[in-house]
Amino acid sequence: MNKTKNIHEAIESILASLEKQGQAPGTLKNYKNSFNVFQKYLIENEISEVDEKVCLEYIYLKTNIKLHSFNGNVLNSKINRRMKPLHLLLMYLDAGEFCYHPRKIKEQFMCPEGFLDEYNMFMEECKRRGYANATFNSNIQKVQFFLKYLHSVQINSSDEITLNHICKFLASYDNAAVKYIGTILYVLRNYLSFVYQNGFTCCNFSLLLPKVRIMRNSSIPYAWKKKDTLKLLNAIDRDDPKGKRDYALILMIVRLGLRVSDIRSMKLSSLNWNRKTISLNMMKTKQPIELPLLEDIGWAVIDYLKNGRIV
């Protein structure tokens, strides 16, 4: 390892390189935060030289999980968040450069030309029905899967679809969870009924699809015990900007019973600090609601706004 390189200068070079590559502000802030916490650890422990052993001891201190090296895949996102910046630092200190592999950009869906009219009409129908964004995106995504499959087997229009094509498409989800298959069937039934009613097919295949009965709350417990909830909150890494956000969000869910969709739609103007209230319109019922801005939630929100939020 090149021991003459200044650690701070190495970190600054890495951050400058990431910025030059066009990394998102949120990604850059996460790296800066991780490096700041690591440098503070080095100063407090009077460590002047960095190697793999030092980095692994630091990760163990922060995660309570002992690793033997930086080689190999680690599935724990909390550990990965700690490892990635340090891995870049070790590469830079060793070779004066580093390799960064940015996340692949999701390929944009291009609707096959033969299905374009009904696809666009179905999107408009979903909007007209007033679906929430998550429901709209889920429906459209699964229709896209179906149209991609049809195109891959040389089916170029809705009137060429047969029951055999639908069965083979569903068979590709043979190993998927029952709940997911139920969703696929629901969306497919919805779409096939729509194309039949609008004259794109001569047969209403939606009537031939099986129904999957899924018991409500069959996959998750209806309610969490207090100790499990506390364990979840304590597991959040509040040194990380995303952790600060997640902590505030989960506190609102646990303490106030808010839905994630309600929190997502919340604005700064929803918080009345003088009256200590939260006011918003619930996404599901469209009804206004006013809730107390509890002290622990207030401080969690302030911590996120001051130290975790990208402006």
Side-chain angles (χ1 to χ4, degrees):
M1 178 177 291
N2 187 345
K3 297 178 181 179
T4 63
K5 283 193 176 289
N6 181 279
I7 296 168
H8 180 72
E9 289 179 357
I11 289 172
E12 290 298 312
S13 296
I14 291 170
L15 292 173
S17 239
L18 290 172
E19 188 171 9
K20 190 175 180 181
Q21 290 175 21
Q23 296 307 311
T27 302
L28 287 172
K29 184 161 185 175
N30 288 341
Y31 271 97
K32 286 177 183 177
N33 187 73
S34 295
F35 280 133
N36 286 341
V37 175
F38 180 61
Q39 287 186 93
K40 184 179 178 182
Y41 164 80
L42 297 178
I43 293 169
E44 289 175 349
N45 292 275
E46 299 180 349
I47 300 172
S48 58
E49 294 177 2
V50 173
D51 57 17
E52 188 176 48
K53 182 181 177 183
V54 168
C55 292
L56 291 173
E57 287 175 351
Y58 169 75
I59 290 170
Y60 176 67
L61 177 72
K62 290 294 184 180
T63 65
N64 204 32
I65 295 177
K66 201 167 188 66
L67 301 173
H68 298 293
S69 75
F70 274 78
N71 297 323
N73 295 322
V74 178
L75 299 180
N76 188 310
S77 60
K78 183 178 178 181
I79 300 174
N80 270 324
R81 187 186 65 76
R82 297 282 184 187
M83 286 182 70
K84 198 165 186 180
L86 299 184
H87 200 186
L88 296 184
L89 179 60
L90 288 172
M91 283 192 287
Y92 190 91
L93 292 174
D94 185 48
E97 59 183 5
F98 65 92
C99 298
Y100 180 82
H101 303 288
R103 185 182 298 175
K104 291 182 180 178
I105 298 174
K106 186 178 179 181
E107 186 178 346
Q108 188 175 2
F109 173 73
M110 297 294 292
C111 182
E113 188 175 348
F115 300 99
L116 193 57
D117 288 343
E118 51 264 55
Y119 174 71
N120 287 335
M121 286 175 64
F122 183 71
M123 283 203 297
E124 289 303 316
E125 175 63 15
C126 289
K127 291 175 183 176
R128 187 189 67 77
R129 294 175 186 176
Y131 288 162
N133 285 338
T135 305
F136 175 84
N137 292 334
S138 176
N139 275 260
I140 298 304
Q141 181 195 55
K142 288 163 184 63
V143 169
Q144 290 173 357
F145 292 160
F146 182 54
L147 297 182
K148 278 183 180 179
Y149 168 78
L150 293 174
H151 184 65
S152 72
V153 294
Q154 284 76 53
I155 300 301
N156 299 310
S157 66
S158 294
D159 58 8
E160 295 179 25
I161 299 172
T162 67
L163 186 60
N164 186 48
H165 296 131
I166 298 170
C167 290
K168 287 185 176 179
F169 169 71
L170 292 172
S172 65
Y173 293 93
D174 189 44
N175 295 320
V178 174
K179 191 171 183 179
Y180 188 75
I181 294 173
T183 304
I184 291 283
L185 283 167
Y186 169 79
V187 173
L188 203 55
R189 191 178 295 111
N190 196 1
Y191 178 72
L192 290 171
S193 174
F194 175 82
V195 295
Y196 170 73
Q197 290 172 8
N198 285 275
F200 292 102
T201 61
C202 297
C203 178
N204 189 356
F205 291 110
S206 67
L207 301 175
L208 304 177
L209 295 181
K211 293 185 179 181
V212 177
R213 186 167 179 261
I214 302 169
M215 297 297 291
R216 186 171 177 83
N217 303 313
S218 59
S219 58
I220 58 173
Y222 181 75
W224 285 36
K225 294 179 181 178
K226 183 177 179 180
K227 65 176 183 179
D228 294 327
T229 304
L230 292 173
K231 194 180 293 184
L232 172 65
L233 289 169
N234 291 332
I236 298 172
D237 183 1
R238 294 170 66 188
D239 286 336
D240 175 45
K242 287 183 180 178
K244 295 178 188 298
R245 177 202 62 193
D246 294 345
Y247 185 77
L249 187 149
I250 293 175
L251 262 187
M252 290 184 188
I253 294 172
V254 171
R255 303 276 275 129
L256 301 176
L258 284 171
R259 298 183 183 91
V260 173
S261 58
D262 295 330
I263 298 173
R264 226 184 250 149
S265 66
M266 194 180 295
K267 301 176 182 178
L268 284 176
S269 57
S270 304
L271 307 174
N272 188 321
W273 298 99
N274 292 327
R275 295 182 58 230
K276 295 185 179 180
T277 59
I278 301 174
S279 301
L280 48 85
N281 287 322
M282 291 185 290
M283 296 297 290
K284 186 172 183 178
T285 64
K286 309 300 181 185
Q287 296 298 312
I289 188 173
E290 185 174 273
L291 297 165
L293 179 54
L294 303 174
E295 188 172 340
D296 53 353
I297 293 175
W299 283 114
V301 170
I302 289 170
D303 185 31
Y304 168 61
L305 293 176
K306 288 181 65 177
N307 305 309
R309 187 166 176 259
I310 305 298
V311 180

